Amino acid sequence: MKYFSTRGGDDLLSFEETVLTGLAPDGGLYIPEIIPRLPENWQTEWANYSFVDLSVEVLSLYISADEISPGELRALVEKSYSTFRHPEITPLRRLSDKTFVLELFHGPTFAFKDVALQLLGNLFEFFLTRRNSRKGAGEKRESLTVVGATSGDTGSAAIYGLRNKLDISIFILHPKGRVSPIQEAQMTTVTDSNVHNVAVQGTFDDCQDIVKALFADKQFNRTHHLGAINSINWARILAQTVYYFQSYFQLGRQLSSILQPSELASIKIQYVVPTGNFGDILAGYYAKRMGLPVGQLVIATNSNDILTRFWQSGTYEKVDTSAAAAAPEGAAAPALGGSDGAQVGGVKETLSPAMDILVSSNFERLLWYLAFDGLTEVDAETRRGACETVNSWMQKMKQDGRVEVPTKVLEIARRDFVAERASDEQTLDIIRMYFLRDPSYVVDPHTAVGLHAARVISTQNDASTMQIVLSTAHPAKFSEAVTRALEGESGFNFEQDVLPVEFKGLLEKERRVIDVEAPRVELVQEVIERYASSAVASAVAASV
């Protein structure tokens, strides 16, 4: 299996090169040369597999055995998921007759990103260790400077996946004051010498733009051997496809105890995914194209709804021009903890901050498939044509802040996806509704966005459709939103009902953070120059 850039399909990379490179030099994202089909008997052979077994099977379809042997791959997967608190890794929980949640928050940092980042951290370490073991005496060791941007959960998950790894230093940029207190504490209380938290005065999109600019700087990239942990890294998407397969089998087992075989055969599955950067739902798209029998994927966004607007109009634009035209001049931003207000750069501060973004970086991967499917001839020229089309779209997006795709492309997008948004008030209503149900269930605000979208879309579904909503974070990570929704409700006690023992005392721990006064690339470059080499040197010395 080889991989190429969405913006220029001539250079083919191995899986190892794809993982270590992260972002393509031309600014594109790496995608597989082909999407493999599932084995003919996968539904029977895989039916009772564990999460680890399924991971090995799915990953091996994309990773050549001469790059990572079957034994090595199994060892990597077992190591990655030994850190999870639940034996099923991502358990499926039934909320009602037709609504289920897939709990993705049982990893070390209580967020779905642990599923991918525990594996990615071990892949980085595996490849570097192998490369350095082949070095002769006196040869310089290879190292990696991992750089990422976070709106909350990616940062802590990446740090926990890479802390104290030999030959790796990690720099995580987050928008100062724009992540939840628990999220910030999870990142900044990790004081390992190779971990560097960078608080940027700006938005998440500013942080993400800085990361992309660092990768685009060929000299800086070459000097520091940059590696990506954001969902631009293909390995993250690949790891996340596994829980779509696992939940498919989990649902079948749960329903088989209450439905007749004839009823079971007619069941349709619809996944609903709270979506910001488009990585989590893109993994579901790959699973579907591989052959997983599911219906339309539901994109659930908050008020930062660039994706919902695209599926409505076919226009992908940072700022909603129709809303901007109607908005009063000088509209004030909301107070801290407020909702749905215009913020710096057009981002709206909401109660689901991990989705507070203007541009969904992984959407480019889907755009490539839409462009490819929109062309008529299936050959190498079509692949090149799709790359050229995507490159022109992304350049237009960079220049104008918007791009409109042809009607045919929008129609193709609507075959596999439908989109719905949720306001903060609707998010609070959902948190309250599920808490008051019997049995009571507490959800975080991102999961609540998904549950709201599922509720809206369910009115259009037929009677045989079951919805699986991806629950992306533990509710304790967003105490302000949960407390605001449930304040005054009889029997609600946040510390007793929601707060895990691992979070108690976290806010009082020692922290280490580097402040950057403005969202400027050169300021972050200075930070990396200052800390990167010393961090790797310390880790090497400690290992001797």
Side-chain angles (χ1 to χ4, degrees):
M1 176 68 77
K2 297 293 185 180
Y3 298 84
F4 64 93
S5 167
T6 51
R7 300 190 194 182
D10 292 332
D11 294 332
L12 297 177
L13 274 62
S14 67
F15 179 74
E16 177 178 347
E17 291 167 332
T18 300
V19 170
L20 292 178
T21 304
L23 185 69
D26 59 14
L29 306 182
Y30 288 112
I31 57 177
E33 194 173 19
I34 59 166
I35 298 177
R37 298 296 296 175
L38 297 171
E40 192 173 327
N41 55 354
W42 70 275
Q43 285 174 299
T44 52
E45 278 206 5
W46 297 2
N48 295 305
Y49 276 8
S50 67
F51 190 91
V52 167
D53 293 333
L54 285 171
S55 291
V56 172
E57 292 292 342
V58 173
L59 269 57
S60 65
L61 296 174
Y62 290 88
I63 304 170
S64 174
D66 58 13
E67 282 201 75
I68 303 177
S69 72
E72 289 170 330
L73 182 58
R74 178 166 286 276
L76 280 166
V77 170
E78 287 176 346
K79 180 181 179 181
S80 300
Y81 300 119
S82 65
T83 58
F84 280 63
R85 298 179 302 280
H86 197 285
E88 292 184 282
I89 311 302
T90 58
L92 186 70
R93 180 164 180 157
R94 186 172 191 167
L95 295 187
S96 66
D97 286 348
K98 295 179 181 178
T99 306
F100 297 75
V101 290
L102 184 61
E103 294 183 342
L104 304 177
F105 51 72
H106 293 281
T109 70
F110 295 76
F112 83 96
K113 295 177 183 182
D114 287 322
V115 176
L117 286 166
Q118 285 292 301
L119 178 64
L120 181 57
N122 287 323
L123 284 170
F124 280 152
E125 183 179 51
F126 174 82
F127 289 136
L128 284 176
T129 299
R130 185 167 67 184
R131 288 183 174 199
N132 285 324
S133 70
R134 297 168 179 167
K135 299 281 186 184
E139 281 191 87
K140 185 180 179 181
R141 296 177 65 86
E142 288 195 36
S143 62
L144 196 66
T145 302
V146 175
V147 183
T150 186
S151 54
D153 286 334
T154 293
S156 57
I159 286 167
Y160 275 69
L162 290 172
R163 62 188 302 182
N164 210 26
K165 295 279 190 191
L166 188 63
D167 300 310
I168 299 173
S169 57
I170 177 170
F171 293 81
I172 295 295
L173 282 61
H174 71 268
K176 187 170 184 177
R178 288 173 173 261
V179 298
S180 79
I182 287 288
Q183 288 175 316
E184 184 179 346
Q186 279 188 308
M187 292 187 287
T188 58
T189 57
V190 177
T191 57
D192 299 65
S193 62
N194 72 321
V195 174
H196 309 281
N197 284 285
V198 183
V200 177
Q201 196 70 49
T203 68
F204 168 70
D205 286 273
D206 292 329
C207 296
Q208 192 159 247
D209 287 344
I210 290 171
V211 169
K212 289 180 178 179
L214 293 173
F215 277 90
D217 186 328
K218 293 181 180 178
Q219 181 58 50
F220 188 82
N221 196 335
R222 192 180 307 116
T223 301
H224 294 282
H225 304 102
L226 299 187
I229 49 80
N230 282 85
S231 51
I232 58 175
N233 194 307
W234 164 251
R236 279 192 54 179
I237 306 300
L238 178 57
Q240 290 170 189
T241 62
V242 176
Y243 47 69
Y244 285 90
F245 289 95
Q246 190 202 30
S247 57
Y248 169 82
F249 290 118
Q250 287 173 316
L251 180 65
R253 287 193 291 270
Q254 290 191 28
L255 293 179
S256 65
S257 62
I258 56 175
L259 295 179
Q260 296 298 319
S262 59
E263 296 175 300
L264 202 57
S266 66
I267 291 299
K268 299 171 186 171
I269 304 175
Q270 182 179 70
Y271 285 94
V272 185
V273 188
T275 304
N277 246 348
F278 205 74
D280 209 6
I281 198 164
L282 183 69
Y285 175 75
Y286 276 105
K288 182 176 182 179
R289 287 193 68 140
M290 289 168 68
L292 187 68
V294 298
Q296 279 184 311
L297 298 158
V298 180
I299 299 162
T301 72
N302 62 20
S303 298
N304 296 289
D305 57 355
I306 183 172
L307 293 169
T308 301
R309 288 184 279 111
F310 172 82
W311 260 268
Q312 289 174 341
S313 67
T315 300
Y316 188 59
E317 58 180 355
K318 291 183 180 182
V319 179
D320 184 355
T321 51
S322 61
E329 248 184 83
L336 183 64
S339 61
D340 298 338
Q343 301 298 297
V344 178
V347 179
K348 298 174 183 177
E349 183 179 350
T350 76
L351 296 174
S352 45
M355 300 191 293
D356 288 354
I357 63 174
L358 279 181
V359 177
S360 300
S361 60
N362 263 293
F363 189 56
E364 180 171 339
R365 284 186 165 110
L366 178 68
L367 284 175
W368 188 91
Y369 290 104
L370 298 180
F372 183 88
D373 291 346
L375 297 172
T376 53
E377 299 294 326
V378 182
D379 55 23
E381 289 305 312
T382 302
R383 188 174 83 186
R384 188 174 292 110
C387 291
E388 291 171 356
T389 298
V390 168
N391 189 41
S392 68
W393 285 344
M394 300 316 294
Q395 292 305 318
K396 187 168 179 56
M397 186 70 179
K398 182 178 180 179
Q399 179 181 322
D400 302 335
R402 69 192 304 271
V403 62
E404 187 173 352
V405 302
T407 302
K408 183 179 180 181
V409 169
L410 179 59
E411 289 171 351
I412 295 170
R414 286 173 174 170
R415 288 197 309 233
D416 292 313
F417 297 91
V418 64
E420 184 61 45
R421 69 171 67 82
S423 69
D424 272 358
E425 284 309 311
Q426 289 164 331
T427 301
L428 294 171
D429 287 344
I430 287 289
I431 295 173
R432 197 174 301 115
M433 182 179 83
Y434 278 92
F435 174 76
L436 294 173
R437 283 191 172 187
D438 186 18
S440 180
Y441 188 69
V442 181
V443 300
D444 87 287
H446 305 81
T447 305
V449 168
L451 286 165
H452 170 79
R455 197 177 181 202
V456 173
I457 298 298
S458 68
T459 61
Q460 306 163 25
N461 293 340
D462 59 37
S464 61
T465 300
M466 301 287 174
Q467 292 180 313
I468 297 178
V469 179
L470 272 55
S471 183
T472 54
H474 192 285
K477 299 196 78 168
F478 301 94
S479 56
E480 296 93 337
V482 173
T483 301
R484 180 172 160 185
L486 302 180
E487 205 168 25
E489 295 294 344
S490 175
F492 173 67
N493 184 312
F494 184 83
E495 289 209 8
Q496 180 179 307
D497 300 334
V498 180
L499 194 67
V501 65
E502 291 89 344
F503 285 7
K504 293 180 179 176
L506 183 63
L507 296 177
E508 286 74 50
K509 283 187 175 181
E510 175 194 354
R511 304 188 186 200
R512 189 156 62 85
V513 62
I514 303 162
D515 286 312
V516 171
E517 62 188 17
R520 292 182 4 225
V521 177
E522 63 271 19
L523 296 180
V524 176
Q525 285 178 321
E526 288 172 10
V527 169
I528 294 174
E529 295 276 7
R530 194 182 325 143
Y531 290 98
S533 57
S534 60
V536 171
S538 298
V540 171
S543 69
V544 175

